[in-house]
Amino acid sequence: MHLRTWPIGPIPQMADPKILIVDDDQELGAMLTEFLAPDHFDVSARLSGEDGLLALRESSFDLLILDIMLPGMSGLDVLKAVRRDSDIPVIMLTARGDDIDRILGLEFGADDYLSKPFNPRELLARIKAILRRTGLDERRGGGMTVGMLELDVPARRVSADGKPIRLTGTEFELLRCLAEAPGTVVSKDRLSEEVLGRRHLPYDRSIDTHVSNVRGKLAAAGVDRPAIQSRRGIGYVLLPDSGDN
């Protein structure tokens, strides 16, 4: 199965960015479609994971809103299938208080999550934050090199010794934020604001999970420097030379 790959780069300038909602709640899909229309979003809705994957194969979308609790193929299975071929930004919808689903969603490559029930204005803010991050690079300069890593910021690409490392948009933003100040501790508050576009809350493990994902991908690519180290209770630091965590 091949999905259309969302390009790692600034989203094309378009009047109506395309959003796909995959949720078996038909009323919710209709409500969100109506709510997002005034902000010039072209919204499509599907009621099952299988139909959602089919829509992704047949058309290009700029963002996916994916419910975890789907009939048949679960949202987590859909997310794993999506991430095999595509870097499209994904917002997961989870049951309130279900920490395990939220953590698994982030570990499988979701960019953000919202707990049901939610305020549609909060979802709109999350959507705009994610799409806005994809367009920031044009004014953030060119590339940077830290240790074995080369970051092509405008193209949103990361490589080590010329070999590309595939990151989601959120993972790239996290690495970029740390790479802008190597050797300096970046607080979780700042990382949450710059990477997720929202205030960091107590017990929110989103940043930690994204850091873990980036670490895993760098290790799989054979990158031992720079190293992302944690500073307990403060944040994270990107060290050009590897060291103990």
Side-chain angles (χ1 to χ4, degrees):
M1 179 177 62
H2 178 73
L3 303 177
R4 295 194 177 194
T5 301
W6 186 82
I8 303 179
I11 61 173
Q13 295 298 315
M14 60 181 70
D16 300 316
K18 296 181 64 177
I19 295 177
L20 176 64
I21 299 173
V22 181
D23 194 308
D24 63 329
D25 187 335
Q26 190 168 1
E27 291 185 4
L28 176 64
M31 182 272 289
L32 291 178
T33 299
E34 182 178 355
F35 179 81
L36 295 172
D39 284 87
H40 304 288
F41 290 109
D42 180 1
V43 181
S44 300
R46 298 294 185 273
L47 300 177
S48 71
E50 293 85 354
D51 286 345
L53 290 175
L54 180 61
L56 288 168
R57 288 199 299 269
E58 293 179 343
S59 184
S60 296
F61 292 90
D62 299 296
L63 186 139
L64 170 63
I65 299 171
L66 178 62
D67 187 25
I68 283 186
M69 299 298 294
L70 292 171
M73 189 177 193
S74 74
L76 291 176
D77 288 334
V78 173
L79 178 60
K80 286 189 285 186
V82 168
R83 280 294 176 249
R84 285 196 290 267
D85 297 286
S86 175
D87 299 302
I88 182 173
V90 177
I91 297 176
M92 299 293 296
L93 302 180
T94 70
R96 184 173 298 278
D98 201 336
D99 294 334
I100 293 178
D101 279 347
R102 289 200 292 270
I103 292 171
L104 286 176
L106 294 172
E107 288 180 345
F108 291 162
D111 293 85
D112 206 347
Y113 68 86
L114 266 180
S115 298
K116 290 183 172 181
F118 57 85
N119 189 320
R121 292 184 181 277
E122 176 67 13
L123 176 62
L124 177 61
R126 300 287 180 93
I127 292 171
K128 288 184 175 180
I130 288 177
L131 296 182
R132 185 168 56 246
R133 291 198 301 269
T134 65
L136 288 177
D137 301 319
E138 290 180 343
R139 60 177 181 271
R140 278 185 170 164
M144 60 184 77
T145 300
V146 184
M148 299 172 62
L149 292 179
E150 294 182 0
L151 281 72
D152 184 341
V153 179
R156 301 178 67 80
R157 295 191 181 97
V158 181
S159 61
D161 295 330
K163 298 179 180 178
I165 301 173
R166 187 172 177 179
L167 301 179
T168 68
T170 297
E171 292 164 357
F172 178 88
E173 280 300 304
L174 174 66
L175 185 59
R176 178 203 57 75
C177 190
L178 293 172
E180 284 186 339
T184 301
V185 178
V186 183
S187 69
K188 288 186 182 180
D189 289 340
R190 179 183 165 191
L191 288 172
S192 186
E193 291 283 354
E194 292 202 16
V195 176
L196 302 179
R198 55 184 168 86
R199 184 168 59 91
H200 178 69
L201 298 175
Y203 310 111
D204 185 348
R205 303 284 296 175
S206 300
I207 289 296
D208 303 304
T209 305
H210 287 306
V211 168
S212 178
N213 290 344
V214 173
R215 281 173 165 168
K217 291 182 179 182
L218 296 185
V223 176
D224 58 7
R225 56 183 176 85
I228 301 177
Q229 296 189 359
S230 62
R231 294 293 183 264
R232 187 179 299 274
I234 303 175
Y236 291 93
V237 57
L238 187 70
L239 297 181
D241 296 321
S242 60
D244 296 330
N245 290 330

